[in-house]
Amino acid sequence: MINFQKLLSLPKEEEEDFTFNEIEEGIYFRGHNLWLLVISMGIACIGLNINSPAAVIGAMLISPLMGPIVGAAFGFSIGNRHLIKLGIINWALMIVVALCSSTLYFFITPFHSETAQLESFKTATVFDCFLAILGGFAWFLGIVRKEAIKVIAGVAVSTACIPPLCTAGFGIANGNWEYFWGGFYFYLINCFFIGVGTWILSIVLGYQKYYLQKNKIKNHKISLFISLISVLILIPSIWLTKKKWDKEKLKERSENYIKTIKENHPELAIINHEIFEEKGGRFLKITLLNDSLAISKERLEEHNSLVKDIHLIWQYSPKQQKTESPQMKDMQTQISELKQEIERIKTKNNNN
């Protein structure tokens, strides 16, 4: 018979004091850790700049950003003010160095375009909060094990602390405050919920009880404080999640609409479409290769009733209008007339 208690138990592989020393040692930001951070920021910035996921993942694997976060969270859990102070100071120092490094890179690089990789770390959602909590669980489990390096490397990738700071640096260098605040908030929720995960697991595994009894400390208000801060930090992420959800649904509806138009009206040569929101309204701009002689504006506007809450903007290709010769226009007119004649013949045959 399976012993579920033994199967699901989390035994300690190290003594409490050994784990404490290991966490404290990981907090310090100097020497190798300092240069590892600068190097990882450089790699991540290049990856975000040239849209290379491999470079971004490589930077996350070597970054030393999580040590002070876990140290401060563990300090809160066991009521150790020295550990809390040490963690917060080193964490703040890491932020300053990381922002300076990324800002310097994006200031001197000749490429200032907003890549898909940069875009992905600009908006944090509630799912990123849950991911960070799970990362905090995995990190702490890795710390209390004897062989933790593989777990720690995996957590560094899953929680992605480095790229959001690079995104914030991109925002500073280019004066784009949407990227700065978006990236910095992304990084902040990662840090906070990694800490929450560490705090929760330190309680579950008995570390909090051990140190509070050992040092005769009462720590009753800390749970309420952390819960309150968690809710406050979650609120913007919930709003951003809803905003992202609405944007994805709007994109999906526009794609379905364009697909329907292409299937039912093959004579419309749609070369581009763009969905956007402005002053509370939703707009779908559709660009056609056809010119106004082949398909009139009035005929295009007949399709507007198919989408009730999205305003359709029809436009002809600017290049097409500028470069078309009279011969080309005549040819397009003949093609349109030929298509209409074919449709009439088909209709006549069907009636017969």
Side-chain angles (χ1 to χ4, degrees):
M1 185 176 180
I2 299 174
N3 188 337
F4 286 100
Q5 185 176 359
K6 186 176 180 181
L7 182 67
L8 300 175
S9 64
L10 294 171
K12 297 176 184 176
E13 297 182 5
E14 300 175 342
E15 294 294 329
E16 286 83 355
D17 292 337
F18 185 87
T19 301
F20 178 92
N21 293 332
E22 193 175 1
I23 292 174
E24 185 179 23
E25 186 180 348
I27 291 175
Y28 290 100
F29 181 58
R30 61 193 177 199
H32 292 87
N33 280 348
L34 172 63
W35 287 107
L36 270 177
L37 178 62
V38 174
I39 292 169
S40 63
M41 290 299 294
I43 295 172
C45 287
I46 293 171
L48 293 171
N49 205 193
I50 65 174
N51 213 30
S52 171
V56 175
I57 292 171
M60 287 189 276
L61 283 171
I62 64 173
S63 66
L65 272 175
M66 293 176 66
I69 303 165
V70 174
F74 191 65
F76 272 110
S77 178
I78 66 174
N80 189 308
R81 292 185 179 180
H82 170 71
L83 209 60
I84 296 170
K85 183 179 178 182
L86 201 61
I88 292 175
I89 290 173
N90 281 274
W91 178 62
L93 184 58
M94 278 189 168
I95 292 175
V96 171
V97 172
L99 284 177
C100 288
S101 302
S102 58
T103 302
L104 178 62
Y105 171 83
F106 284 114
F107 185 76
I108 63 177
T109 181
F111 305 108
H112 298 279
S113 59
E114 300 172 5
T115 64
Q117 285 290 313
L118 278 167
E119 183 78 22
S120 66
F121 291 103
K122 184 184 72 172
T123 305
T125 66
V126 68
F127 300 104
D128 297 298
C129 299
F130 296 139
L131 183 62
I133 288 179
L134 295 174
F137 290 159
W139 176 275
F140 196 76
L141 284 176
I143 286 290
V144 300
R145 292 184 61 198
K146 292 180 179 178
E147 297 179 2
I149 186 64
K150 292 182 180 179
V151 175
I152 292 172
V155 175
V157 174
S158 66
T159 50
C161 284
I162 281 281
L165 272 183
C166 294
T167 303
F170 172 85
I172 295 174
N174 292 278
N176 190 328
W177 301 112
E178 183 183 0
Y179 271 82
F180 170 74
W181 290 115
F184 194 76
Y185 175 69
F186 201 131
Y187 172 71
L188 181 64
I189 66 168
N190 268 337
C191 292
F192 182 79
F193 285 101
I194 288 169
V196 170
T198 300
W199 174 72
I200 292 172
L201 212 55
S202 69
I203 296 173
V204 172
L205 295 180
Y207 284 89
Q208 185 185 82
K209 183 178 179 181
Y210 171 82
Y211 280 103
L212 292 182
Q213 289 179 349
K214 180 181 177 181
N215 300 320
K216 298 180 180 179
I217 299 173
K218 292 184 178 180
N219 208 24
H220 300 303
K221 293 182 180 179
I222 195 68
S223 298
L224 180 61
F225 173 76
I226 291 178
S227 300
L228 179 62
I229 297 297
S230 298
V231 171
L232 292 176
I233 292 180
L234 268 175
I235 290 173
S237 70
I238 294 172
W239 177 74
L240 289 170
T241 302
K242 184 182 182 303
K243 189 176 179 181
K244 189 173 183 178
W245 169 261
D246 292 340
K247 186 177 179 181
E248 289 297 323
K249 293 298 290 183
L250 185 61
K251 183 180 178 181
E252 183 181 346
R253 287 185 61 207
S254 67
E255 292 287 349
N256 290 335
Y257 174 72
I258 294 295
K259 184 179 178 181
T260 302
I261 288 293
K262 287 181 177 180
E263 289 175 352
N264 297 334
H265 303 277
E267 73 277 10
L268 296 180
I270 299 174
I271 59 174
N272 186 35
H273 65 276
E274 177 189 358
I275 189 79
F276 63 94
E277 297 185 57
E278 187 176 293
K279 296 180 180 179
R282 298 172 174 178
F283 300 88
L284 176 60
K285 184 187 292 183
I286 304 173
T287 305
L288 300 174
L289 184 62
N290 313 82
D291 66 358
S292 56
L293 293 177
I295 299 177
S296 66
K297 202 78 170 179
E298 291 75 16
R299 186 179 174 188
L300 292 175
E301 290 176 352
E302 292 175 2
H303 301 88
N304 293 0
S305 60
L306 296 178
V307 185
K308 300 296 184 183
D309 59 336
I310 300 178
H311 302 285
L312 300 182
I313 302 174
W314 296 93
Q315 64 177 19
Y316 304 103
S317 175
K319 292 183 179 179
Q320 184 76 6
Q321 293 176 2
K322 291 179 181 178
T323 59
E324 275 186 344
S325 62
Q327 292 84 0
M328 183 63 72
K329 290 183 178 180
D330 291 339
M331 188 177 294
Q332 285 188 340
T333 303
Q334 292 174 14
I335 292 171
S336 298
E337 290 175 354
L338 182 59
K339 285 182 177 180
Q340 291 174 4
E341 183 65 27
I342 292 172
E343 289 298 323
R344 282 197 294 268
I345 294 171
K346 285 182 178 180
T347 304
K348 186 177 180 181
N349 291 336
N350 290 334
N351 291 335
N352 293 335

